Amino acid sequence: FITNTRRKNLAISFSILSLLAISVILIFVSAQRAQLLARRQIEFVSSVSHEFRTPLAVIYSAGENLADGVTKEYSQVSRYGNLIKGEGKKLSKMVEQILDFAGANSGKKKYDLREVKVSEIIENALAECQPLIDEKSFKVETEIAENLPEIMADKNALMQAVQNLIANSIKYSNGEKFLKISARNGGNKVKIIIEDRGIGIAKSDLKHIFEPFFRAKAVVDEQIHGNGLGLSLVKQTVEAHGGKIAVESQIGKGSRFTIHLPFII
């Protein structure tokens, strides 16, 4: 009887110690994650501050020249005006992206779901990105299958997600100024595919690229500006539409992002 009692007590003690050990491990893992998130948030603030600084400096300089009457020639005044307009647009897009992220994470973001043609989403996204495409002299190929079924979507939100992917392809180009966008029927899903021949993504980074604030070391080392929110927002938008996003990539060869969206039956 005494032996059995001792065994039970040992078993209980061992179970308690095991639970304590697991608790300590979980606390440690949580602390590590919290530290990683805090570090990324600090990097995000630093990155955003840097991204804001350049447009603000341009706007301040152009505005100062206009206010001081440095030039009164129409062509020069027009150039300053276009500079202010362009840099103001950049700032506006950055602010909108941050607000979209905050709204999505607070659960307050609402989507206006309606019947939409995938071709319209792609065409509108390309039209919005056309100035950037022209500026960087990119070649763009499109391959949109005919008679694609319509999807239930917030047209503006999904268009912004496709825009983000197009802009990333241009930003992370590798001298190969090529971009292809295609859409086709993939079983019970519509697939939107954006592929490029850019710098590519390291295999070790692929599992992290959709995390908020994440920026690959290679990108940071190359001083390619960004805030680490774009792909996180794309993923949130796609998932809010009942879809999913996948990525394939090879360093130096490019990346291929595929959005899968359910269509209307």
Side-chain angles (χ1 to χ4, degrees), residues 111 157-158 161-162 165 232-246 258-262:
Y111 293 93
L158 206 52
V162 175
L165 293 176
S232 172
L233 281 170
V234 170
K235 184 173 184 287
Q236 288 176 343
T237 300
V238 170
E239 290 181 349
H241 286 76
K244 65 176 183 177
I245 183 167
T258 304
I259 296 173
H260 302 259
L261 294 166

Coordinates of all heavy atoms in Angstrom, one line a residue, residues 111 157-158 161-162 165 232-246 258-262:
Y111 N -15.8 45.4 -45.6 CA -15.7 45.2 -47.1 C -17.0 45.2 -47.8 O -18.0 44.7 -47.3 CB -15.0 43.8 -47.3 CG -13.6 43.7 -46.9 CD1 -13.3 43.2 -45.6 CD2 -12.5 44.1 -47.7 CE1 -12.0 43.2 -45.2 CE2 -11.2 44.1 -47.3 CZ -10.9 43.6 -46.0 OH -9.6 43.5 -45.6
A157 N -10.6 47.2 -52.5 CA -9.7 46.5 -51.6 C -8.9 45.5 -52.4 O -7.7 45.4 -52.2 CB -10.5 45.8 -50.5
L158 N -9.5 44.7 -53.3 CA -8.8 43.7 -54.0 C -7.9 44.3 -55.1 O -6.8 43.8 -55.3 CB -9.9 42.7 -54.7 CG -9.4 41.3 -55.0 CD1 -8.8 40.6 -53.7 CD2 -10.5 40.4 -55.5
A161 N -4.8 45.2 -53.4 CA -3.9 44.1 -53.1 C -3.1 43.7 -54.4 O -1.9 43.5 -54.3 CB -4.8 42.9 -52.7
V162 N -3.8 43.7 -55.6 CA -3.1 43.4 -56.8 C -2.1 44.5 -57.1 O -0.9 44.3 -57.6 CB -4.1 43.3 -58.0 CG1 -3.4 43.1 -59.3 CG2 -5.0 42.1 -57.7
L165 N 1.1 44.0 -55.2 CA 2.0 42.9 -55.8 C 2.7 43.4 -57.0 O 3.9 43.1 -57.3 CB 1.1 41.7 -56.1 CG 0.5 41.0 -54.9 CD1 -0.4 39.8 -55.3 CD2 1.7 40.4 -54.0
S232 N 1.5 41.8 -45.9 CA 0.6 41.4 -44.8 C -0.8 41.9 -45.1 O -1.8 41.2 -44.9 CB 1.1 42.1 -43.5 OG 0.2 41.9 -42.5
L233 N -0.9 43.1 -45.7 CA -2.2 43.6 -46.1 C -2.8 42.8 -47.2 O -4.0 42.6 -47.2 CB -2.1 45.1 -46.4 CG -2.0 46.1 -45.3 CD1 -1.7 47.5 -45.8 CD2 -3.3 46.1 -44.5
V234 N -2.0 42.4 -48.1 CA -2.5 41.6 -49.3 C -3.1 40.3 -48.7 O -4.2 39.9 -49.1 CB -1.3 41.3 -50.3 CG1 -1.8 40.2 -51.3 CG2 -0.9 42.5 -51.0
K235 N -2.4 39.7 -47.8 CA -2.9 38.4 -47.3 C -4.2 38.6 -46.5 O -5.1 37.8 -46.6 CB -1.8 37.8 -46.3 CG -2.2 36.4 -45.7 CD -1.0 35.9 -45.0 CE -1.2 34.5 -44.4 NZ -2.2 34.5 -43.3
Q236 N -4.2 39.6 -45.7 CA -5.5 39.9 -44.9 C -6.6 40.2 -45.9 O -7.8 39.7 -45.6 CB -5.2 41.1 -44.0 CG -4.3 40.9 -42.8 CD -4.1 42.1 -42.0 OE1 -4.3 43.2 -42.5 NE2 -3.6 41.9 -40.8
T237 N -6.4 40.9 -46.9 CA -7.5 41.2 -47.9 C -8.0 40.0 -48.6 O -9.2 39.7 -48.7 CB -7.0 42.2 -48.9 OG1 -6.6 43.5 -48.3 CG2 -8.1 42.6 -49.9
V238 N -7.0 39.2 -49.1 CA -7.4 37.9 -49.8 C -8.2 37.0 -48.9 O -9.2 36.4 -49.3 CB -6.1 37.2 -50.3 CG1 -6.4 35.8 -50.9 CG2 -5.5 38.1 -51.4
E239 N -7.7 36.8 -47.6 CA -8.4 35.9 -46.7 C -9.7 36.4 -46.3 O -10.7 35.7 -46.1 CB -7.5 35.7 -45.5 CG -6.3 34.8 -45.8 CD -5.4 34.6 -44.6 OE1 -5.6 35.3 -43.5 OE2 -4.5 33.8 -44.7
A240 N -9.9 37.8 -46.3 CA -11.2 38.3 -46.0 C -12.2 38.1 -47.1 O -13.4 38.1 -46.9 CB -11.1 39.9 -45.8
H241 N -11.7 37.7 -48.3 CA -12.6 37.4 -49.4 C -12.7 35.8 -49.5 O -13.2 35.3 -50.6 CB -12.0 37.9 -50.7 CG -12.2 39.4 -50.9 ND1 -11.4 40.3 -50.2 CD2 -13.0 40.1 -51.6 CE1 -11.8 41.5 -50.5 NE2 -12.8 41.5 -51.4
G242 N -12.3 35.1 -48.5 CA -12.4 33.7 -48.5 C -11.4 33.0 -49.4 O -11.6 31.8 -49.7
G243 N -10.3 33.7 -49.7 CA -9.3 33.1 -50.5 C -8.0 32.8 -49.8 O -7.9 32.9 -48.6
K244 N -7.0 32.5 -50.6 CA -5.7 32.3 -50.0 C -4.6 32.8 -51.0 O -4.9 33.0 -52.2 CB -5.4 30.9 -49.6 CG -5.4 29.9 -50.8 CD -5.1 28.5 -50.4 CE -5.0 27.6 -51.6 NZ -4.6 26.2 -51.2
I245 N -3.4 33.1 -50.5 CA -2.3 33.5 -51.4 C -1.1 32.6 -51.2 O -0.8 32.2 -50.0 CB -2.0 35.0 -51.1 CG1 -0.9 35.4 -52.1 CG2 -1.6 35.2 -49.7 CD1 -0.7 36.9 -52.2
A246 N -0.5 32.2 -52.3 CA 0.7 31.4 -52.2 C 1.9 32.1 -53.0 O 1.6 32.9 -53.8 CB 0.4 30.0 -52.8
T258 N 0.4 33.8 -56.3 CA -0.9 33.3 -56.8 C -2.0 33.5 -55.8 O -1.9 33.1 -54.7 CB -0.8 31.8 -57.1 OG1 0.3 31.6 -58.1 CG2 -2.1 31.3 -57.8
I259 N -3.0 34.3 -56.2 CA -4.2 34.5 -55.4 C -5.3 33.6 -55.8 O -5.6 33.5 -57.0 CB -4.7 36.0 -55.5 CG1 -3.6 37.0 -55.0 CG2 -6.0 36.2 -54.8 CD1 -3.9 38.4 -55.3
H260 N -5.8 32.8 -54.9 CA -6.9 31.9 -55.1 C -8.2 32.5 -54.5 O -8.3 32.8 -53.3 CB -6.7 30.5 -54.5 CG -5.4 29.9 -55.0 ND1 -5.4 28.9 -55.9 CD2 -4.1 30.1 -54.6 CE1 -4.1 28.5 -56.1 NE2 -3.3 29.2 -55.3
L261 N -9.2 32.7 -55.3 CA -10.5 33.3 -54.9 C -11.7 32.5 -55.3 O -11.8 32.1 -56.4 CB -10.6 34.8 -55.4 CG -9.6 35.8 -55.0 CD1 -9.7 37.0 -55.8 CD2 -9.8 36.2 -53.5
P262 N -12.6 32.3 -54.4 CA -13.8 31.5 -54.7 C -14.7 32.3 -55.7 O -14.8 33.5 -55.5 CB -14.5 31.3 -53.4 CG -14.0 32.4 -52.5 CD -12.6 32.7 -53.0

